[in-house]
């Protein structure tokens, strides 16, 4: 097992490098980079230096004709020297490949830099936003387990019946519905859209949160988190339900179950006294993978739709603003965490079922 773990750890390096290289290359062809974003703000209105800090703040921004030579769309009417100072401040005076390798060298030392537009380090920004996303991911995973396990057991016991057929159809339909579309549907139906107004439209807490008692805060929190959790967990039901069903079906056919029934034990005693603890091992071992899938797959869209101040919304806003340190820093961190959790999930499967052997398989 040690060699398998070593191979997986070594595989993280080229995988992470490839993820960063592909995304970095794509950003080079996307119009409206951070320099253009700043120049567009400067030409709009307001204080010239509110959106950035550094050496560029000493540059005269009087209108000049030299700006017409600049390649940036937003540079019209601004002096060429000002544009060059901005490029130097953000490192865009260097070739793309030099910037990429400098970025990767910094990331290997876990130096993710500072946001272009927020004047805060990427690490501090992620730490500030992470609790919201972790909360959403944990509750969504918990709800998925609470519903999928009983449903999967029921489908296994009634395998081949009309109940099994209809529930399979329902969970497949639920799996096929995009999370963002379901989130919008919930808003329209239950959050003050066309129909009912049972739940709040946005945010994780109410404006009068500080004035509430402790029980009131608990109720207010669950009132706000209900729709986002439902929307983010809808896609996890199908996989977990079918995994539970197949795991129980596999155990039901084993000899020890036949022996237990032959001894006169009731169906319920056999199911929950013998089958349950063996079948659930493989289901519980999949918890890290399911959590990461919900955490990464749903946070961006769900948090944006429900205006939750988490990592998903942070990534969306950073992408719109072309805040490259935030985009690439969080991408590197999440990619690393995702790859490590994949290894942990494999180890948990081996731990709960020693028959699983990754040692002699290709990575």
């Amino acid at each position: 097992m040690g060699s398998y773990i070593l191979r997986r750890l070594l595989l993280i390096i080229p995988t992470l490098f490839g993820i960063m290289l592909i995304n970095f290359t794509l950003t080079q062809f996307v119009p409206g980079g951070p320099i253009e974003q700043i120049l567009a703000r400067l030409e709009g209105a307001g204080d010239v230096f509110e959106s950035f800090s550094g050496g560029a703040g000493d540059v005269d921004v009087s209108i000049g004709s030299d700006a017409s030579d600049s390649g940036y769309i937003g540079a019209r009417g601004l002096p060429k020297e000002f544009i060059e100072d901005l490029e130097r401040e953000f490192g865009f005076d260097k070739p793309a490949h030099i910037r990429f390798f400098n970025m990767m060298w910094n990331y290997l030392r876990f130096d993710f830099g500072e946001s272009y537009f927020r004047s805060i380090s990427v690490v501090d920004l992620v730490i500030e936003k992470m609790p919201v996303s972790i909360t959403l991911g944990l509750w969504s995973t918990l709800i998925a387990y609470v519903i999928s396990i009983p449903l999967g057991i029921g489908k296994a016991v009634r395998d081949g019946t009309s109940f099994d057929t209809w529930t399979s159809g329902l969970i497949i339909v639920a799996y096929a519905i995009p999370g963002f579309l379901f989130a919008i549907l919930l808003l329209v139906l239950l959050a003050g859209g066309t129909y009912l107004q049972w739940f709040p439209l946005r945010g994780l807490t109410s404006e009068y949160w500080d004035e509430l008692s402790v029980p009131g805060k608990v109720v207010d929190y669950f009132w706000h988190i209900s729709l986002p959790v439902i929307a983010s967990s809808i896609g996890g039901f199908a996989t977990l339900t079918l995994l539970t069903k197949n795991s129980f079906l596999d155990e039901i056919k084993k000899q020890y179950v036949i022996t237990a029934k032959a001894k006169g034990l009731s169906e319920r005693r056999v199911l929950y006294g013998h089958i349950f603890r063996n079948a659930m091992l493989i289901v519980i071992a999949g918890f890290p993978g399911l959590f990461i899938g919900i955490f990464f797959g749903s946070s961006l869209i769900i948090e944006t739709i429900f205006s939750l101040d988490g990592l998903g919304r942070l990534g969306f806003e950073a992408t719109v603003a072309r805040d490259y340190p935030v985009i690439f820093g969080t991408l590197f961190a999440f990619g690393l965490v995702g790859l490590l959790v994949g290894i942990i999930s494999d180890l948990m499967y081996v731990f709960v079922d020693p028959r699983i052997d990754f040692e002699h398989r290709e990575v």
Side-chain angles (χ1 to χ4, degrees):
M1 193 63 189
S3 60
Y4 170 77
I5 296 175
L6 180 60
R7 290 199 306 269
R8 288 292 302 269
L9 290 174
L10 293 176
L11 189 61
I12 288 178
I13 299 174
T15 304
L16 201 55
F17 183 87
I19 293 173
M20 299 300 297
L21 179 61
I22 291 173
N23 284 274
F24 183 87
T25 302
L26 291 175
T27 59
Q28 306 308 305
F29 300 98
V30 177
I35 302 295
E36 292 177 336
Q37 295 283 335
I38 291 175
L39 295 175
R41 295 183 185 186
L42 298 185
E43 288 205 331
D47 187 352
V48 172
F49 306 112
E50 283 180 351
S51 300
F52 62 94
S53 61
D58 299 325
V59 181
D60 182 11
V61 294
S62 58
I63 304 300
S65 59
D66 293 336
S68 60
D69 298 330
S70 172
Y72 291 104
I73 299 175
R76 301 187 185 95
L78 295 173
K80 183 177 180 179
E81 292 79 8
F82 176 69
I83 308 302
E84 292 174 349
D85 281 343
L86 278 179
E87 293 175 348
R88 191 178 304 109
E89 179 183 353
F90 291 111
F92 288 98
D93 57 328
K94 300 180 179 66
H97 67 282
I98 299 296
R99 288 188 280 117
F100 175 76
F101 285 108
N102 287 341
M103 179 185 70
M104 292 303 297
W105 172 245
N106 291 332
Y107 286 0
L108 290 175
R109 297 176 293 158
F110 294 96
D111 178 11
F112 299 106
E114 185 175 288
S115 169
Y116 285 160
F117 306 108
R118 296 174 183 257
S119 298
I120 183 175
S121 70
V122 175
V123 174
D124 292 338
L125 200 56
V126 170
I127 292 175
E128 177 186 337
K129 309 296 183 181
M130 185 173 289
V132 173
S133 297
I134 290 179
T135 300
L136 182 60
L138 285 175
W139 280 116
S140 300
T141 306
L142 178 61
I143 293 299
Y145 267 82
V146 168
I147 295 178
S148 296
I149 290 176
L151 182 59
I153 295 174
K155 288 174 63 62
V157 174
R158 301 175 179 83
D159 183 41
T161 64
S162 58
F163 172 82
D164 182 37
T165 302
W166 281 104
T167 53
S168 295
L170 290 176
I171 63 174
I172 290 174
V173 170
Y175 182 76
I177 298 176
F180 76 92
L181 185 60
F182 190 68
I184 295 174
L185 179 64
L186 290 177
L187 288 177
V188 172
L189 295 178
L190 303 174
T194 307
Y195 299 95
L196 305 173
Q197 193 172 359
W198 289 353
F199 295 92
L201 184 62
R202 60 174 62 87
L204 198 58
T205 57
S206 300
E207 296 180 356
Y208 47 87
W209 166 266
D210 294 332
E211 303 173 6
L212 297 174
S213 62
V214 174
K217 289 182 178 180
V218 172
V219 172
D220 184 76
Y221 168 77
F222 282 107
W223 185 44
H224 282 77
I225 201 69
S226 296
L227 294 188
V229 166
I230 294 173
S232 61
S233 59
I234 187 68
F237 290 138
T239 303
L240 187 56
T241 301
L242 295 179
L243 176 62
T244 303
K245 175 189 174 182
N246 293 333
S247 180
F248 271 80
L249 284 177
D250 184 54
E251 293 294 325
I252 288 173
K253 299 176 183 178
K254 291 184 177 179
Q255 184 62 43
Y256 76 89
V257 177
I258 299 175
T259 302
K261 291 181 179 179
K263 290 181 177 180
L265 297 180
S266 65
E267 290 285 344
R268 184 177 181 84
R269 178 70 182 276
V270 173
L271 180 64
Y272 292 102
H274 296 274
I275 298 176
F276 184 83
R277 59 186 177 184
N278 294 322
M280 283 304 299
L281 291 176
I282 199 72
V283 178
I284 295 174
F287 180 87
L290 180 62
F291 170 73
I292 290 297
I294 293 176
F295 182 78
F296 289 143
S298 303
S299 62
L300 190 153
I301 297 176
I302 299 302
E303 289 177 11
T304 302
I305 291 176
F306 289 97
S307 299
L308 301 179
D309 197 17
L311 292 175
R313 187 179 178 188
L314 172 66
F316 173 77
E317 292 175 349
T319 303
V320 172
R322 305 295 192 270
D323 197 345
Y324 290 162
V326 176
I327 295 173
F328 293 122
T330 53
L331 179 65
F332 180 88
F334 292 163
L336 180 61
V337 170
L339 293 171
L340 290 175
V341 169
I343 299 176
I344 294 174
S345 296
D346 289 346
L347 294 179
M348 289 192 66
Y349 282 120
V350 175
F351 177 76
V352 301
D353 190 350
R355 296 171 300 173
I356 299 176
D357 182 20
F358 292 108
E359 186 70 28
H360 300 94
R361 298 184 182 182
E362 294 293 332
V363 179

